[in-house]
Amino acid sequence: MNICVIGAGYVGLTTAAVLAELGHEVCCIDKDQNKITELNNGKIPIYEPGLSEFIAKNTNRLSFNTNLEEGVKKASIIFICVGTPSLADGKTNLSYVDAVINEIAPCIHSYKTIITKSTVPIGTNEQIYEKLLAKKISPELFNIVSNPEFLREGSAIYDMLHPDKIVVGLRQDDTQSLPIIQEMYSRIQAPYIVTSLNGAEMIKYASNAFLATKISFINEIARICEAFHIDVNDVSKGIGLDPRIGPHFLQAGLGYGGSCFPKDVKSLEQIALSKQIHPLILQAIQTVNDTQIDVYIHKLKTLFPDLHTKKIAVLGIAFKPNTDDTRDSPAERLISRLSQLTCDVCAYDPKAKLSRDQHHVRQVNSLDEAIKGADCVVIATDWDEFKQLDWAEMKKQMNGTIIVDGRNCLNRKEIEQCGLRYVGVGRG
Ligand code: UDX
Ligand code: UDX
């Protein structure tokens, strides 16, 4: 099949690479000329495990271009994967999606299946359909499909090749698109959820909101565990064995971040409010997440009354391991707070770069540089390399003895056996 993917970000690039791997002819379009030039020179602008190999492997079927008109005209299937960031009030910024629809419209001269993969508020795909009709595009020449993605950064390729479901939102009278989607994904084994356009949009938001709920729930439980010296990791294991709860997304820590959860929960809250529905849970999720950093700052202030004079090594900048993405990163939120407290912050991350300069904050290129002379080491992102540290060696390098586990991912006993002090939230 001839496919055009618009938007070469984390989702667009993964989608394009996987579709090429599945045997389709794929043209990936992005308005960012530098990004396209880099891609055509074989340089992948983002760090996503396996992506560069996948792209290199499929160059015969995968091309990159800024020329949207050319890309759309050649293709029978169009994927919209442009950014849908938040507006100041938490609503979703649809200006990029709108811009793409305006650019696609004059290029529709043969039948097109237009598939929205970007996360868009409920009703957006219906509006796109009406908008194209208003531009005098014949309904014989296109259909709109909502096919949200559920891939996680850091395992995007695997998640797209092994999805737990394929969600397809269709207009009521659309009998053409489902067979086309099924043929396109014929080499991927997964159950299909076929629903309305609004239904598919809601499945995406509800999925992210529920996962965020699990995280804020376990973070609240961790606060209670703290008061009773209970190890929340035992609690996560205990409740997670109940298949009605499940073991995933019960790791307490600094809270959730990234390009999806924060903006999607906010957007769903605004969607509810737009219908005079009071989203109590959605608001509570955000309140717990927004105040999770305070819990750790309070702990650091208790540990170091003169915190402002201390050198703090922060290990991790990315919002999660295995990505270089720092969008809404809890680690960066912590670093900003420590900067405001005028601590001497030394940050290290295997892949991610600080998204902005801050007072008293410097990023170093090695873990050793970061911990040298540190009064305290904080694990802010749970990269595997931080879980296998030589704590005895760390102790020699550090000035202090305190390890703050902001991701509840370390082995407490190992640390204490080295004469270091382990500090977590809700770790007994
Ligand atoms: C995006 C959405 O933000 C997210 O809501 C959705 O769930 C998945 O797709 P992501 O891939 O992470 O997420 O976005 P981003 O990395 O910002 O990439 C978007 C790309 O679209 C950028 O490369 C941007 O240059 C490109 N773009 C944007 C266009 O090519 N044309 C436009 O008009 C706007
Ligand atoms: C998420 C969804 O998982 C994915 O299905 C959707 O398509 C996009 O949004 P992603 O943003 O890549 O994916 O990250 P995810 O792995 O879900 O982690 C999100 C945040 O939650 C990270 O900051 C992570 O550190 C945090 N998290 C995750 C926890 O704090 N505890 C957990 O148990 C799991």
Side-chain angles (χ1 to χ4, degrees):
M1 295 175 136
N2 262 311
I3 301 174
C4 175
V5 174
I6 304 173
Y10 287 86
V11 171
L13 270 181
T14 305
T15 303
V18 167
L19 289 169
E21 174 70 12
L22 295 175
H24 304 295
E25 290 293 320
V26 181
C27 179
C28 185
I29 304 285
D30 199 289
K31 70 175 181 1
D32 181 336
Q33 181 61 61
N34 295 335
K35 197 174 264 192
I36 293 299
T37 307
E38 281 189 336
L39 285 161
N40 283 326
N41 295 335
K43 189 167 175 310
I44 315 304
I46 58 171
Y47 171 73
E48 180 59 44
L51 183 60
S52 48
E53 296 79 359
F54 243 53
I55 290 177
K57 190 172 160 223
N58 291 292
T59 43
N60 56 338
R61 278 191 296 268
L62 178 54
S63 63
F64 300 100
N65 207 318
T66 55
N67 185 332
L68 183 144
E69 184 177 348
E70 194 184 297
V72 168
K73 280 187 176 155
K74 254 191 339 197
S76 61
I77 296 174
I78 318 291
F79 273 95
I80 300 175
C81 298
V82 294
T84 52
S86 284
L87 294 167
D89 62 3
K91 291 191 178 106
T92 298
N93 176 356
L94 286 172
S95 63
Y96 303 132
V97 173
D98 289 344
V100 165
I101 295 301
N102 291 337
E103 288 174 67
I104 288 176
C107 312
I108 301 177
H109 305 302
S110 59
Y111 183 79
K112 310 286 181 193
T113 305
I114 301 170
I115 305 175
T116 305
K117 216 168 219 339
S118 295
T119 306
V120 292
I122 298 158
T124 304
N125 281 286
E126 287 287 1
Q127 285 153 20
I128 291 174
Y129 184 79
E130 296 306 325
K131 196 171 182 184
L132 286 170
L133 289 185
K135 289 178 180 291
K136 305 281 176 272
I137 312 297
S138 158
E140 308 300 311
L141 279 181
F142 75 99
N143 259 307
I144 290 287
V145 174
S146 170
N147 175 225
E149 51 67 30
F150 299 90
L151 56 85
R152 293 162 296 166
E153 291 182 28
S155 59
I157 296 273
Y158 177 87
D159 290 351
M160 193 165 173
L161 283 171
H162 308 92
D164 48 39
K165 59 187 172 288
I166 295 175
V167 174
V168 179
L170 303 169
R171 297 189 62 256
Q172 217 148 21
D173 56 7
D174 177 355
T175 55
Q176 288 170 275
S177 301
L178 185 57
I180 292 172
I181 303 276
Q182 288 169 325
E183 185 192 341
M184 178 177 63
Y185 290 140
S186 57
R187 290 175 49 194
I188 293 181
Q189 304 309 318
Y192 276 74
I193 302 284
V194 181
T195 177
S196 63
L197 291 172
N198 289 2
E201 292 156 347
M202 187 48 154
I203 291 173
K204 175 60 188 176
Y205 276 109
S207 301
N208 278 358
F210 186 77
L211 293 169
T213 305
K214 285 188 89 171
I215 296 166
S216 283
F217 175 79
I218 202 67
N219 281 333
E220 186 152 276
I221 293 293
R223 297 179 191 190
I224 302 169
C225 287
E226 178 84 1
F228 293 91
H229 306 300
I230 298 165
D231 187 340
V232 68
N233 282 11
D234 293 348
V235 177
S236 296
K237 273 197 217 96
I239 67 173
L241 288 171
D242 182 329
R244 296 168 299 172
I245 299 172
H248 305 296
F249 281 63
L250 290 175
Q251 187 175 349
L254 284 166
Y256 62 76
S259 65
C260 291
F261 284 2
K263 81 174 171 70
D264 293 346
V265 174
K266 277 198 199 91
S267 182
L268 189 55
E269 176 196 3
Q270 292 303 320
I271 290 165
L273 290 169
S274 72
K275 298 290 182 185
Q276 290 72 47
I277 296 159
H278 193 179
L280 294 166
I281 293 176
L282 296 175
Q283 289 168 339
I285 297 168
Q286 296 174 79
T287 306
V288 171
N289 201 59
D290 295 344
T291 54
Q292 200 56 14
I293 300 284
D294 303 339
V295 174
Y296 286 85
I297 292 291
H298 174 72
K299 227 173 226 284
L300 284 164
K301 283 182 175 170
T302 311
L303 290 162
F304 303 105
D306 54 350
L307 183 58
H308 64 286
T309 67
K310 298 300 177 191
K311 175 184 176 183
I312 311 289
V314 176
L315 303 186
I317 298 170
F319 82 93
K320 59 182 253 187
N322 305 320
T323 181
D324 60 355
D325 198 343
T326 59
R327 287 178 284 185
D328 227 321
S329 166
E332 278 213 306
R333 288 204 292 271
L334 178 77
I335 289 168
S336 305
R337 294 289 298 277
L338 293 170
S339 160
Q340 287 153 18
L341 293 165
T342 70
C343 305
D344 169 14
V345 178
C346 203
Y348 164 72
D349 189 287
K351 292 291 178 188
K353 298 271 171 295
L354 284 170
S355 60
R356 59 193 172 83
D357 292 339
Q358 299 179 64
H359 291 304
H360 319 290
V361 176
R362 58 201 162 88
Q363 175 165 5
V364 293
N365 300 322
S366 75
L367 190 134
D368 290 347
E369 262 180 286
I371 61 162
K372 199 159 192 50
D375 297 297
C376 170
V377 168
V378 179
I379 305 294
T381 312
D382 46 328
W383 286 90
D384 283 346
E385 78 172 72
F386 301 154
K387 299 174 193 170
Q388 296 128 12
L389 292 173
D390 175 342
W391 298 107
E393 186 50 36
M394 292 271 287
K395 186 166 186 292
K396 291 188 198 128
Q397 304 284 336
M398 292 171 65
N399 180 45
T401 60
I402 295 185
I403 308 295
V404 174
D405 184 358
R407 286 292 170 189
N408 283 2
C409 61
L410 304 179
N411 179 323
R412 176 189 194 119
K413 286 202 178 60
E414 263 180 35
I415 290 169
E416 290 173 344
Q417 274 156 7
C418 299
L420 289 166
R421 180 169 170 200
Y422 175 94
V423 174
V425 169
R427 294 304 306 277

